[in-house]
Amino acid sequence: MTRVVDTREYLDVLRGLTEEGKEVSLLISGSSMSPFLIHARDYVYFRKPDRELKKGDIVFFQRDSGQYVMHRICRVKEDGYYLVGDGQTQVEGPIRRDQIFGLIYCVRRKGRKIQPGDFWWEFFAHVWTVFRPVRPVLTRCYSLFSRLRRQKRS
């Protein structure tokens, strides 16, 4: 039996667990972190930040509106953190440190565990961020290539 719960309520619980020092996991919902993380396929593992946050980190934060968001830090400035999803070009910020409650330390992508130091983690943390202005074009090219490759196999 599947049980449907409100996302905000669920994330409130997960946030509470991280504040107690626990590590939690979550199935990805939404497309803002695509192409690194895919909706309803990949999982993130996170905990309360235990170090200084830096460019390239993936974090959970809560907007002043109450909405929960997971994005990557693209800039750290004196006035706060600036974040953007891997599938987006619009930077959001400044985000205050007290809004950030979760640091993603590992993901399960396509069934494989990926963490800092692994090729794909480092690619999206350091290389992909440079391509932010042209991400839509790169994503469309990748989608076209993938479709052509699937058609060829059929």
Side-chain angles (χ1 to χ4, degrees), residues 14 26 32 82 87 92 106 108 114 132 134 139 142 153-154:
L14 293 182
L26 178 70
S32 71
Y82 291 79
E92 180 174 357
C106 177
R108 186 159 300 279
I114 299 175
R132 183 177 52 80
V134 294
T139 303
Y142 176 78
R153 280 190 250 161
S154 300

Side-chain angles (χ1 to χ4, degrees), residues 124-135:
F124 283 99
H126 303 292
V127 177
W128 188 248
T129 56
V130 173
F131 292 109
R132 183 177 52 80
V134 294
R135 283 179 185 172

Side-chain angles (χ1 to χ4, degrees), residues 19-32:
E19 288 171 359
E20 294 173 10
K22 295 186 172 43
E23 297 178 349
V24 296
S25 65
L26 178 70
L27 178 65
I28 293 296
S29 176
S31 62
S32 71

Side-chain angles (χ1 to χ4, degrees), residues 98-138:
D98 68 317
Q99 291 176 271
I100 298 172
F101 65 91
L103 172 64
I104 285 68
Y105 64 88
C106 177
V107 301
R108 186 159 300 279
R109 180 177 191 259
K110 296 182 182 178
R112 289 186 41 237
K113 181 179 171 184
I114 299 175
Q115 56 195 8
D118 292 338
F119 174 82
W120 287 114
W121 187 284
E122 298 302 323
F123 174 82
F124 283 99
H126 303 292
V127 177
W128 188 248
T129 56
V130 173
F131 292 109
R132 183 177 52 80
V134 294
R135 283 179 185 172
V137 173
L138 294 175

Side-chain angles (χ1 to χ4, degrees), residues 2 36 40 45 49 58 84 91 107 115 118 131 133 135:
T2 302
F36 183 48
Y45 299 83
I58 305 170
V84 65
V91 175
V107 301
Q115 56 195 8
D118 292 338
F131 292 109
R135 283 179 185 172

